[in-house]
Amino acid sequence: MTSHVTFQQGVKECIPTLLGYIGIGLSFGIVAASQDFSVLEILLLCLLVYAGAAQFIICALVITGTPISAIVLTTLIVNSRFFLLSMTLSPNYKDYGIWNRVALSSILTDETFGVAITPHLKGETINDRWLHGLNITAYSFWAIACVLGAVFGKYISHPEMLGLDFAITA
């Protein structure tokens, strides 16, 4: 039986998912920059919201002047799936402290869940170090891709002409 127990194993097993983060992260950064979001605002969206679909939605809602309460509610609804994903993996970390469990759950994504669910379903050992390696790698790479998109986005005035606003749907 294979075990997934080291931080380095989590980093290594995250690498294939990073290709998806490049395309969507760059696209988000470009789209947000074209809508006059600053690089700092884009970085904060990445670090605090950390959900591509919600980030694209937030940009669209901010530009249209939507009240903050509606933006927060919409973001919570769009991201509610992460609660279910975290609950699926929770038996693997039920013996950890509360803050460790919060950390494991709060930066779980669709992609990292996809990587983690396979060994979970096979009954293989996974632990917090492996999950942290997986999640932190994805989290860091997402932020970097979005910021790079923001930097390059200043030179692309109409990203919708390139279909970049459609990236998350694709």
Side-chain angles (χ1 to χ4, degrees), residues 21 49-51 79 81-90 93 101-117 126 130-132 134-136 138-139:
Y21 282 91
V49 177
Y50 187 45
N79 289 340
R81 72 188 184 283
F82 294 122
F83 178 73
L84 298 174
L85 299 179
S86 294
M87 292 300 292
T88 301
L89 293 176
S90 66
Y93 43 85
R101 290 187 310 220
V102 167
L104 289 166
S105 298
S106 65
I107 62 172
L108 184 73
T109 65
D110 299 318
E111 294 82 7
T112 58
F113 175 80
V115 174
I117 194 65
I126 63 175
W130 180 81
L131 284 165
H132 282 308
L134 184 69
N135 288 335
I136 290 170
Y139 184 66

Side-chain angles (χ1 to χ4, degrees), residues 46-67:
C46 294
L47 297 177
L48 299 175
V49 177
Y50 187 45
Q55 289 174 218
F56 276 96
I57 291 169
I58 289 168
C59 284
L61 294 175
V62 166
I63 294 304
T64 60
T66 304

Side-chain angles (χ1 to χ4, degrees), residues 19-98:
L19 292 174
Y21 282 91
I22 292 172
I24 297 171
L26 287 172
S27 297
F28 170 73
I30 291 168
V31 168
S34 75
Q35 295 177 352
D36 295 326
F37 281 81
S38 71
V39 173
L40 179 60
E41 290 169 330
I42 291 167
L43 177 61
L44 289 174
L45 273 173
C46 294
L47 297 177
L48 299 175
V49 177
Y50 187 45
Q55 289 174 218
F56 276 96
I57 291 169
I58 289 168
C59 284
L61 294 175
V62 166
I63 294 304
T64 60
T66 304
I68 191 72
S69 58
I71 293 171
V72 169
L73 181 61
T74 302
T75 302
L76 288 172
I77 291 169
V78 168
N79 289 340
S80 63
R81 72 188 184 283
F82 294 122
F83 178 73
L84 298 174
L85 299 179
S86 294
M87 292 300 292
T88 301
L89 293 176
S90 66
N92 294 292
Y93 43 85
K94 65 182 178 205
D95 296 329
Y96 301 130
I98 185 73

